[in-house]
Amino acid sequence: MQSSRSLPVTAAGAHRRRQPPAPSAPAYLAATLTLLVLAAIAYSRAAFPRFPHPPATRRCRPDAEGSWSAGVFLGDSPFSLKPIEHWGISSGGGAAWPVANPVATCADVAGAGFPSSFVANPFLFIQGDAIYMFFETKDPVTSQGDIAAAISKDAGATWQQLGVVLDEEWHLSYPYVFSYENKTYMMPESSKKGNLRLYYAVDFPRKWTLEKVLLERPLVDSVIINFQGPYWLLGSDISSYGSKQRGLCIWYSSSPLGPWNPHKQNPVRNNKDNKPSARNGGRPFIYNGSLYRIGKDCDVGGGCIIQVFKVEVLTANRYKEVVVPFVLDESLKGRNAWNGARSHHLDIQQLQLGQLWIGVTDGDRVPSGDSVHRLTIGYMFYGVDSVLVLLLGVLIGAIKFILPLRWYLPHTEKRSDTFNIAKQVFLCHKLSSLICNVNKLGSLIGGRINYRAWKGRVYIAVIILILTVLTCFGTHYIFGGNGAEEPYPVKGTYSQFTLLTMTYDARNWSLKMFVEHYSKCASVREIVVVWNKGQPPSQGELKSMVPVRIRVENKNTLNNRFNIDKEIKTRAVMELDDDIMMTCDDLERGFKIWREHPDRIVGYYPRLAEGRPLKYRNERYARQQGGYNIILTGAAFMDHELAFKRYWSKEAEIGRKIVDSFFNCEDILLNFLFANVSSRSTVEYVKPAWAIDMSKFSGVAISGNTKAHYHIRSKCLSIFSGIYGNLTSKRFFNSRGDGWDV
């Protein structure tokens, strides 16, 4: 019997032998996948909106083409148009004081029973005191454009959706509507069909039938205008030069029904740089005897710029136009504004009653392809995640990175393949060499990290941290939406509010953050700073996307918070302490609830006063008791005409003196004044996603001693109840059913 010889064991071999066995690949992959999924869920809960959206806002499903909607502008001339909210037009339905853009969205169309992704290319048709709007709406099911309509009888302030009025088997858009010889016609874009079609209204505005094919050409953005005798058809023929971004062609006729003769200079050129003239961006209009054409330059960052051209020469042989100054008010709020990213259409007409001009334009809050861009970046982060997971698995020895060479050996089964064997051998040789190098690398780094040693655990912790961060980024881009904090409509209308804050010189730093942050919120019209003490900042020190007005007071008193201010342009005022930071979505939700209950104080900090005598209790106690009867006005919506008038009424004079004596309790007084005129509940609570009290970091809080603060407020309750009676009855949490008062 031959005995086996014992072999010497090297130090490295002994070290490897002492290493603990690595986890199996399935166990490792399951553990890392679970960890990253939990990280994604945790990030989603922290970063994404926690509250349900109303059903009306969920019907609109924007896609890769954007989230287009339509807004109304008014002016004394076509060149002085301002958004409808600047005109102070109000609508009692939904407490829209004033009405604000947009006036038509895909949610409105979907609410009428027609699924929609966006509203674009709006055209107006005025008939007596009624204004009709025709526009393209995209069906998210068929991904096809249809023509829908809406009607307004209050100069464009509110619109009743009429639904889809023209639906063909092909894509339709750009619904240019005009009248001729007592008939109403529509000439939508139907370039997918390869021609330009004219429809007439059988039953205006809901039923249309084909009149004739005007041109056997795939025209886009086509309009007809009668000027100096002939009818002129202007459009872009995409068959001749292949680009939909530029080019204008002209035809002329003695009738809008044709026949049409081509212009001698087609496609007409820009007189300045000899480039093709810009595509139409809306209806041409005549002002002071001159013809103006609306065009769009769509070569700027994926969006378009609306331009207005004055037509100086228009004959069968010549065409000349020049750009004239034209500016529509543009929001600085970025994605929070309905038209913050781009606009590519404008229709202007003069109202029949009076000298007012009306314009309707479309706008989008995101650039073209935004959803695809976000998905691409998100999956790139997830892809890097996957590579790092595999690399970590190799480093700890859980994954063996060995590729079998036999997978890449050449083989052939047909004689006809014989002449390719040399190429296959050469290719397989290269692949085999590459695989060998990869396998060497896998063997070299495999098991290099001992996950039970402290140093190895540090390496693993760093890699896991990187994986978690990448997962959060990927989750944000894929599931986080477009980043906009949009307003909520009430009865199909939007509105705006004034943000009012009271402060003094010791809190200058928080005021700057306050103004910059909240000025980006979609429904904020203006910020009013009530300056109680010290030297106020200059306008240049405050970075704001909306106008900021600093109202310097003569006396340092908390009563200044509710001073009657005739310069406020909205009925709704949001009283907000300058040291409270919330999301714009929190403000928009609160504004929606106030518009549904404009006679109440709607806010974010509930309190409960109960007992005999009344005792002031915090939010935790109120939740334990299931309800509240006070809303702090340091973060609350109210009708300033109603609230401020009550606060400065003669019956509130004693209460104001008590506020001055304690330098406290102005919000409690207002709650009593509201409760004193109504037997119903006068307060509504909205739970914020998060709220940060910045005074905790500054040391300049007005009420630093909580116990003393609560004691004073309990005194106020006792005094006010003796003067004004009881507070409103207890309002229960989670009583509205919208999920926002939990």
Side-chain angles (χ1 to χ4, degrees), residues 610-622:
E610 64 176 7
R612 293 184 182 276
L614 288 175
K615 190 172 182 180
Y616 183 79
R617 303 284 192 170
N618 61 18
E619 181 176 345
R620 179 183 298 178
Y621 180 85

Side-chain angles (χ1 to χ4, degrees), residues 5-19:
R5 297 173 59 185
S6 60
L7 298 175
V9 179
T10 64
H15 175 70
R16 290 194 185 96
R17 185 176 297 173
R18 288 194 299 270
Q19 281 189 349

Side-chain angles (χ1 to χ4, degrees), residues 410-418 421 424:
H411 65 280
T412 180
E413 297 179 357
K414 299 180 181 179
R415 288 189 177 184
S416 59
D417 293 337
T418 304
I421 292 179
Q424 292 185 29

Side-chain angles (χ1 to χ4, degrees), residues 452-700:
R452 293 193 178 181
W454 69 269
K455 187 181 291 186
R457 291 179 179 178
V458 170
Y459 292 148
I460 293 173
V462 171
I463 295 176
I464 289 177
L465 178 61
I466 295 173
L467 286 170
T468 303
V469 172
L470 292 174
T471 299
C472 292
F473 275 117
T475 303
H476 174 80
Y477 277 99
I478 294 175
F479 302 104
N482 59 22
E485 295 179 281
E486 303 180 31
Y488 296 86
V490 176
K491 296 184 178 179
T493 62
Y494 293 86
S495 188
Q496 292 182 326
F497 62 88
T498 299
L499 192 62
L500 189 148
T501 187
M502 188 169 65
T503 188
Y504 61 104
D505 53 359
R507 298 154 72 103
N508 235 338
W509 68 277
S510 63
L511 177 64
K512 293 178 181 179
M513 287 193 300
F514 178 96
V515 169
E516 182 174 359
H517 172 67
Y518 288 116
S519 67
K520 298 175 184 177
C521 298
S523 298
V524 173
R525 167 73 176 273
E526 179 188 29
I527 297 178
V528 177
V529 179
V530 179
W531 196 261
N532 255 10
K533 185 177 68 173
Q535 181 65 31
S538 64
Q539 292 284 350
E541 295 180 62
L542 303 176
K543 183 180 179 181
S544 177
M545 316 305 162
V546 298
V548 177
R549 178 163 55 91
I550 300 176
R551 196 179 77 201
V552 180
E553 302 292 351
N554 297 322
K555 180 182 177 182
N556 182 17
T557 169
L558 295 180
N559 291 320
N560 290 336
R561 184 191 294 274
F562 305 118
N563 273 347
I564 295 174
D565 188 342
K566 295 183 178 180
E567 294 186 40
I568 293 177
K569 301 178 179 65
T570 64
R571 284 283 291 275
V573 164
M574 168 65 167
E575 293 270 5
L576 185 60
D577 290 345
D578 66 327
D579 52 13
I580 295 177
M581 300 299 290
M582 295 187 292
T583 66
C584 286
D585 184 66
D586 288 331
L587 263 64
E588 298 295 350
R589 290 187 299 110
F591 186 40
K592 177 183 183 297
I593 298 303
W594 177 83
R595 291 182 62 196
E596 294 172 345
H597 308 281
D599 58 339
R600 303 181 186 183
I601 301 173
V602 178
Y604 305 86
Y605 291 95
R607 297 292 186 265
L608 180 63
E610 64 176 7
R612 293 184 182 276
L614 288 175
K615 190 172 182 180
Y616 183 79
R617 303 284 192 170
N618 61 18
E619 181 176 345
R620 179 183 298 178
Y621 180 85
R623 291 191 175 279
Q624 291 173 351
Q625 302 303 313
Y628 57 95
N629 55 8
I630 293 176
I631 288 293
L632 300 189
T633 58
F637 285 93
M638 62 195 71
D639 180 345
H640 79 94
E641 293 184 7
L642 180 67
F644 295 1
K645 183 179 179 181
R646 287 178 182 174
Y647 195 86
W648 289 96
S649 64
K650 187 174 182 179
E651 65 176 337
E653 184 176 0
I654 298 176
R656 295 195 301 271
K657 291 180 179 179
I658 294 170
V659 169
D660 279 338
S661 65
F662 287 121
F663 203 76
N664 203 326
C665 305
E666 81 285 358
D667 49 356
I668 295 178
L669 174 58
L670 188 66
N671 275 267
F672 269 101
L673 294 173
F674 266 73
N676 200 27
V677 296
S678 176
S679 59
R680 300 182 304 162
S681 175
T682 57
V683 290
E684 290 289 342
Y685 167 63
V686 178
K687 182 178 177 61
W690 54 263
I692 301 176
D693 185 354
M694 302 299 293
S695 67
K696 305 295 184 184
F697 309 102
S698 65
V700 292

